[in-house]
Amino acid sequence: MKKKLAKKIALVTLGVTLIFTSFGFKSDFFEIAKQIEIFTTLFKEINMNYVDETNPAALMDTAIKAMLADLDPYTNYWNEQDVEAARINNAGEYTGIGATVQVIDNTLLIMEPYKNYPADKAGLKAGDEIIEVEGIKVADYSEDIAELLNGYADSEINLKYKRQGEIKTTQLTRSAIKLKAVPFYELLDEKTGYIVLSRFNAKASSETIRALKDLKNQGAKEIILDLRGNPGGLLTEAINVSNIFLPKGELITTTKSVIEKYNKAYQTQKEPIDTQIPLVVLVNGRSASASEIVAGAIQDLDRGVVVGARSFGKGLVQRPKELAYGTQLKITISRYYTPSGRCIQALNYAERDQDGKAIKRAVEDYNEFKTRNGRSVFDGGGISPDVKLETSEYSSITNALLAQNAIFDFATEYYYNNDLKNPESFEFTAEDFNNFKSFLKTSNFHYKTATEQELEELLAMASKEGYEQDILDHYKSISTEIEAQKKKELDEKKHEIVSILTDEIIKRYFYKEGLYEYYVENNPEILEAKSILKDTQRYSQILN
């Protein structure tokens, strides 16, 4: 059995080698062929001779992922399920239960149920932990368990889940789910239109155009385009969205690569909708990729004012490449550059520190570029807004709170312990913030600063050299001081933490729709954007 398997693997690898020969290589063909042959023989020997039964698919999956980990986090191998998930994300439509989920600790955690879709109708809430799908225990399922939630329209699915320590069951009927690129737009006052663009799927530009035209028909004379939290998507849609506000033939971005065919200049191809209407674009630390292309073009061409906090800093372009058996390789093929010529990529994956982490460019190493009107802008660290607001920032401690779901978990506790009638009446008080800090003490939240990491490395080195006892007392003293400073940091970054806590809590009661309704009256970034648009002199001064 093993010999037949090894023979098949060798034939497949030979086929791959033959396919490779039909394309050009960036480096010496012999070296690539040599490494493929070494790997093929190694893989065959392991599967034929290892002491225990091996799983060739699992071994190959591990090998591929380990190889790609040396590149960047955006170059990924996609199995058939991943390919389908990408198609759904780009199309904005699928059939399922209508909720975002995350795999955490052998459960499927409901992050957000969509209003009036199956999960919501069945009573599922954010924070519910799905432990069984159709009798299959999530903890025992080795494949992508989240895929079991999707299926044919009108098909039923039974779930067992845990809520606040209590086990519950429910039955859902799957339906078609349509993810809007523009989930919300509204005329805020007699002339200010507000558009939320949450993703760059295939409908991004068409939905933005529809929203803009409707708002103009209602009397909008100025526009706020909200790209906060937008992770990006299709490059073509980033060009098309920019084209809404910029004339035909305008350069939006260029891509550069060591492979000549990937060096391209992307210009607007259509007649614009409105090149004169005053425009403010909102960004934050989770605005990435296509969002940064749009914000960068608007900024570089002085078409509008960018407000918020520095964007994520993803200046890399990926393209899917078809592989065998329905799989794909999503590979970084180039870097993109804004119209002024800057690449906003923040991390250099070709250079890594001793822990293997990509090196972030220091601010002093940023290069200066000029906008069309001669304003200074810089590369290397995302899109820096023209008007910065603390409430939009994501500091290290805030990112740690988000990464460990501390804010999400507190919002869950808040929801089951407080009654909230409408979003307009909500205020996250000083008492609430103290409760949040107490919650962190009893949870598993831990936050390690860069200083702590360096101190631990210093202690480890001292131990090797026999100096551990000499510096241990100093180490403990410094660690105590760092802990005290970390507690202060929570208060120092209160403005940004409270802003995110507010968002998460309001969503629990009133969904995303309620959050946007709250935004238009209370959100600091929107209020600042309105203020800038109302003050025509200030708006003009920022752009000149």
Side-chain angles (χ1 to χ4, degrees):
M1 183 67 180
K2 285 186 177 181
K3 289 184 179 180
K4 288 182 179 179
L5 179 62
K7 186 175 181 181
K8 289 181 180 179
I9 292 169
L11 288 172
V12 170
T13 307
L14 177 61
V16 173
T17 304
L18 291 173
I19 292 172
F20 281 172
T21 60
S22 64
F23 298 92
F25 287 112
K26 292 184 289 183
S27 56
D28 182 58
F29 167 75
F30 172 76
E31 184 62 25
I32 293 174
K34 171 186 170 183
Q35 296 305 323
I36 290 174
E37 185 176 356
I38 290 171
F39 180 79
T40 302
T41 53
L42 179 146
F43 195 57
K44 179 181 70 173
E45 293 299 331
I46 287 175
N47 283 282
M48 290 181 67
N49 299 302
Y50 189 68
V51 62
D52 295 319
E53 189 74 22
T54 58
N55 183 332
L59 281 176
M60 182 61 75
D61 193 59
T62 300
I64 291 172
K65 289 178 179 177
M67 176 176 64
L68 298 183
D70 265 356
L71 302 177
D72 62 64
Y74 312 112
T75 297
N76 296 311
Y77 166 71
W78 284 349
N79 58 30
E80 297 94 324
Q81 291 79 20
D82 296 327
V83 172
E84 178 62 14
R87 185 197 65 77
I88 289 170
N89 187 54
N90 288 335
E93 296 183 7
Y94 70 101
T95 302
I97 69 170
T100 55
V101 297
Q102 185 177 349
V103 180
I104 297 178
D105 296 332
N106 294 322
T107 65
L108 279 173
L109 182 66
I110 300 287
M111 303 300 291
E112 179 187 353
Y114 305 144
K115 187 177 181 180
N116 294 329
Y117 279 114
D120 181 41
K121 291 178 179 178
L124 289 174
K125 304 289 184 183
D128 289 346
E129 301 173 17
I130 299 175
I131 54 180
E132 282 189 20
V133 180
E134 285 294 319
I136 301 173
K137 290 184 178 180
V138 174
D140 296 339
Y141 197 76
S142 59
E143 305 297 326
D144 186 0
I145 188 68
E147 286 299 315
L148 293 180
L149 299 178
N150 300 332
Y152 296 107
D154 299 322
S155 61
E156 293 183 343
I157 178 173
N158 294 289
L159 303 177
K160 182 183 287 188
Y161 63 97
K162 183 165 65 174
R163 173 185 295 169
Q164 298 289 286
E166 184 180 351
I167 303 298
K168 297 175 176 288
T169 59
T170 188
Q171 186 180 74
L172 296 81
T173 302
R174 298 181 180 96
S175 70
I177 312 298
K178 295 184 179 180
L179 303 176
K180 292 183 178 180
V182 177
F184 183 87
Y185 69 90
E186 188 173 286
L187 189 67
L188 304 186
D189 50 36
E190 68 278 1
K191 66 173 186 177
T192 308
Y194 172 62
I195 302 172
V196 177
L197 179 54
S198 63
R199 52 172 52 86
F200 283 88
N201 61 22
K203 300 178 181 178
S205 59
S206 61
E207 290 187 18
T208 305
I209 290 171
R210 191 179 306 120
L212 177 61
K213 287 183 175 179
D214 189 10
L215 289 169
K216 290 183 68 175
N217 288 336
Q218 294 180 50
K221 305 296 183 185
E222 53 200 30
I223 292 294
I224 301 170
L225 179 63
D226 196 342
L227 297 179
R228 290 175 297 173
N230 186 323
L234 300 174
L235 173 62
T236 52
E237 283 301 288
I239 308 302
N240 292 336
V241 169
S242 302
N243 198 171
I244 295 171
F245 303 101
L246 292 165
K248 183 178 179 180
E250 195 75 74
L251 177 67
I252 302 301
T253 186
T254 55
T255 58
K256 298 179 182 179
S257 171
V258 294
I259 303 174
E260 188 174 350
K261 68 177 180 179
Y262 295 140
N263 295 334
K264 293 185 178 180
Y266 292 87
Q267 297 174 317
T268 50
Q269 300 295 315
K270 305 172 184 177
E271 293 301 324
I273 304 301
D274 196 325
T275 62
Q276 299 300 318
I277 191 166
L279 175 67
V280 169
V281 178
L282 303 182
V283 297
N284 65 8
R286 294 199 164 188
S287 305
S289 190
S291 295
E292 295 173 296
I293 290 176
V294 173
I298 296 298
Q299 186 177 59
D300 280 5
L301 300 172
D302 296 304
R303 175 60 186 86
V305 176
V306 179
V307 172
R310 187 182 295 277
S311 64
F312 183 81
K314 180 179 181 290
L316 303 176
V317 181
Q318 287 74 44
R319 176 175 293 183
K321 295 289 186 179
E322 300 291 337
L323 302 177
Y325 301 104
T327 62
Q328 286 185 3
L329 172 66
K330 184 169 75 79
I331 183 171
T332 298
I333 60 168
S334 58
R335 292 179 175 84
Y336 73 77
Y337 296 77
T338 67
S340 68
R342 55 183 169 143
C343 180
I344 52 83
Q345 176 63 27
L347 294 174
N348 183 358
Y349 294 102
E351 297 181 17
R352 297 176 183 260
D353 61 22
Q354 57 189 18
D355 295 323
K357 295 180 180 178
I359 294 175
K360 191 170 186 176
R361 283 179 63 184
V363 175
E364 56 267 23
D365 293 331
Y366 291 173
N367 298 305
E368 183 178 2
F369 295 81
K370 295 293 183 179
T371 69
R372 179 165 286 173
N373 289 343
R375 297 186 298 140
S376 294
V377 289
F378 298 86
D379 67 358
I383 301 297
S384 182
D386 304 309
V387 178
K388 298 179 182 179
L389 292 180
E390 290 182 333
T391 46
S392 270
E393 291 180 352
Y394 286 83
S395 62
S396 296
I397 192 166
T398 301
N399 282 322
L401 289 167
L402 289 167
Q404 296 178 44
N405 279 344
I407 288 175
F408 180 89
D409 292 339
F410 178 79
T412 301
E413 294 296 319
Y414 187 98
Y415 176 78
Y416 288 109
N417 289 291
N418 296 273
D419 189 24
L420 188 58
K421 299 299 183 184
N422 57 71
E424 291 78 15
S425 66
F426 178 73
E427 180 185 359
F428 197 83
T429 65
E431 182 182 357
D432 290 331
F433 191 66
N434 286 332
N435 290 337
F436 174 66
K437 290 193 289 187
S438 298
F439 172 81
L440 293 180
K441 292 177 182 178
T442 59
S443 70
N444 292 324
F445 175 72
H446 60 279
Y447 166 52
K448 186 179 292 187
T449 65
T451 303
E452 284 178 298
Q453 292 175 342
E454 290 186 9
L455 277 173
E456 288 178 3
E457 292 168 7
L458 176 63
L459 187 64
M461 181 61 69
S463 178
K464 288 181 180 179
E465 297 180 350
Y467 300 131
E468 181 179 17
Q469 194 57 47
D470 295 337
I471 69 168
L472 190 57
D473 290 338
H474 297 291
Y475 171 81
K476 290 179 179 178
S477 175
I478 296 172
S479 296
T480 301
E481 180 61 30
I482 290 174
E483 283 300 321
Q485 289 299 321
K486 283 163 66 174
K487 291 177 182 178
K488 288 182 182 179
E489 191 174 9
L490 275 172
D491 290 315
E492 290 171 355
K493 302 300 181 183
K494 178 180 177 180
H495 47 268
E496 61 189 72
I497 295 171
V498 167
S499 178
I500 301 169
L501 280 164
T502 299
D503 291 359
E504 191 61 48
I505 289 171
I506 288 178
K507 279 195 301 182
R508 299 303 175 93
Y509 294 91
F510 309 108
Y511 307 88
K512 273 282 182 66
E513 292 80 356
L515 176 60
Y516 297 134
E517 292 290 352
Y518 177 85
Y519 272 178
V520 299
E521 296 293 336
N522 301 280
N523 184 253
E525 289 76 24
I526 294 176
L527 296 177
E528 180 68 14
K530 288 173 67 176
S531 174
I532 292 169
L533 290 167
K534 293 290 181 289
D535 188 342
T536 55
Q537 184 177 1
R538 184 186 177 199
Y539 180 84
S540 179
Q541 285 177 342
I542 292 171
L543 294 179
N544 289 282

